[in-house]
Amino acid sequence: MTSFHTIKALSVVPPNKRPSVAGASPATHPQSSSPSSNINIKVCQNKDCFKNFPTKYDGGLIQTIQDLVVLRTKNVTVESSGCLSQCSHGPNICVNERVFGKINGVLAAAAVLEVAANIDCSGILMAAIEDMATANKFNDPVQKIKHLTSVIESFQQQGDATATSTAMAHALILRADAHLESIPQNPEEALKDALLATNLNEHVSNGKAWRIVGDAKEMMGDIPGAMEAISTWAEKNVLLSAKAKKELDRLSKKLNT
């Protein structure tokens, strides 16, 4: 039987692990405790839960959970779910049949993971998620790239699991997108970031990295390579198959003209 819980996030997450962009440093310990049994995390994607999670976080609650968890831990799975029948308490997640509500930000998500799954979310990951949210507010791609570069460099300085985490792949995807938005566009750097993201986590952001690879290769004149990337993008997210087919038809015509 599924049980329902709410928790006070700030009472669970220790002060030294709360997000602080200025305070994040290599001295902040990475996720070190790993759960002893299989952990299944379901994130409600029903409209009420989805709209109640702050829009500043790219990818919503499910992306935030994925960024907080080192997904290379084989016994932890994160997946979307339908309604968990606790709409008035949303956003909701279910951890091994225990439903937790009021997950309204990074602190609350980290607190649930610590209490329900014995997953110790590192301060560096929490700060990086907030930093990525800040970067998304910039209209200037140059500012966005600069901000995301600081996130990526902080991961690289760790020399541990955070450097190959889903959060690292997410930051690379956001920076790749910014390279394509910049004037002039920089498809070479976008391609480099997107490919690195796919190597770190092939399922990150529902294959969005592959869409960026396709766009970058098209800009660089590699139409066959773009078509291959778009096909892979569709494989990663079957909900986008119709959109991908239109893109493939367009690229095929471009190739044959």
Side-chain angles (χ1 to χ4, degrees):
M1 178 179 293
T2 300
S3 56
F4 179 78
H5 309 265
T6 59
I7 59 176
K8 293 182 179 180
L10 291 178
S11 68
V12 177
V13 182
N16 68 324
K17 292 188 179 181
R18 297 173 190 171
S20 172
V21 173
S25 70
T28 307
H29 294 294
Q31 181 173 307
S32 56
S33 63
S34 57
S36 58
S37 59
N38 292 334
I39 300 294
N40 176 247
I41 303 170
K42 296 179 180 178
V43 183
C44 180
Q45 296 293 283
N46 198 42
K47 61 180 181 179
D48 288 333
C49 280
F50 190 82
K51 73 180 181 181
N52 286 331
F53 191 74
T55 56
K56 68 176 183 176
Y57 299 110
D58 178 73
L61 178 55
I62 189 167
Q63 183 67 60
T64 299
I65 296 291
Q66 288 173 338
D67 286 348
L68 285 170
V69 177
V70 178
L71 289 179
R72 288 176 178 271
T73 303
K74 293 182 179 180
N75 58 338
V76 178
T77 59
V78 181
E79 58 188 5
S80 60
S81 80
C83 183
L84 296 173
S85 301
Q86 295 291 340
C87 301
S88 62
H89 298 287
N92 300 307
I93 68 172
C94 181
V95 182
N96 285 6
E97 304 305 319
R98 298 170 68 194
V99 178
F100 293 83
K102 304 296 184 183
I103 314 299
N104 53 12
V106 172
L107 287 175
V112 168
L113 291 175
E114 182 176 347
V115 168
N118 193 32
I119 295 174
D120 184 11
C121 301
S122 76
I124 198 70
L125 285 175
M126 295 163 68
I129 293 169
E130 293 289 358
D131 251 350
M132 286 188 277
T134 299
N136 272 333
K137 295 179 181 179
F138 293 125
N139 292 321
D140 180 7
V142 175
Q143 284 292 99
K144 188 179 292 187
I145 290 168
K146 182 178 180 181
H147 211 76
L148 290 166
T149 297
S150 69
V151 173
I152 291 166
E153 288 178 348
S154 71
F155 281 144
Q156 292 171 334
Q157 290 170 6
Q158 299 303 302
D160 52 40
T162 57
T164 58
S165 64
T166 299
M168 174 63 157
H170 188 193
L172 287 165
I173 288 172
L174 291 175
R175 189 171 70 173
D177 227 2
H179 281 307
L180 294 184
E181 294 172 357
S182 62
I183 301 175
Q185 293 172 310
N186 193 338
E188 291 82 6
E189 288 300 316
L191 181 62
K192 186 187 303 181
D193 279 349
L195 287 175
L196 181 54
T198 63
N199 288 334
L200 291 178
N201 189 323
E202 62 178 0
H203 300 294
V204 71
S205 297
N206 289 324
K208 184 179 178 181
W210 287 107
R211 176 59 201 257
I212 295 174
V213 170
D215 289 344
K217 288 196 172 185
E218 182 182 2
M219 291 178 191
M220 297 166 66
D222 182 5
I223 304 303
M227 293 178 70
E228 183 179 355
I230 295 298
S231 295
T232 305
W233 173 55
E235 291 172 4
K236 301 299 179 185
N237 190 336
V238 294
L239 296 177
L240 296 173
S241 57
K243 187 174 182 179
K245 185 179 184 303
K246 290 181 180 179
E247 281 295 292
L248 289 170
D249 289 344
R250 181 184 65 80
L251 289 169
S252 180
K253 292 176 181 177
K254 188 172 183 178
L255 182 63
N256 294 320
T257 56

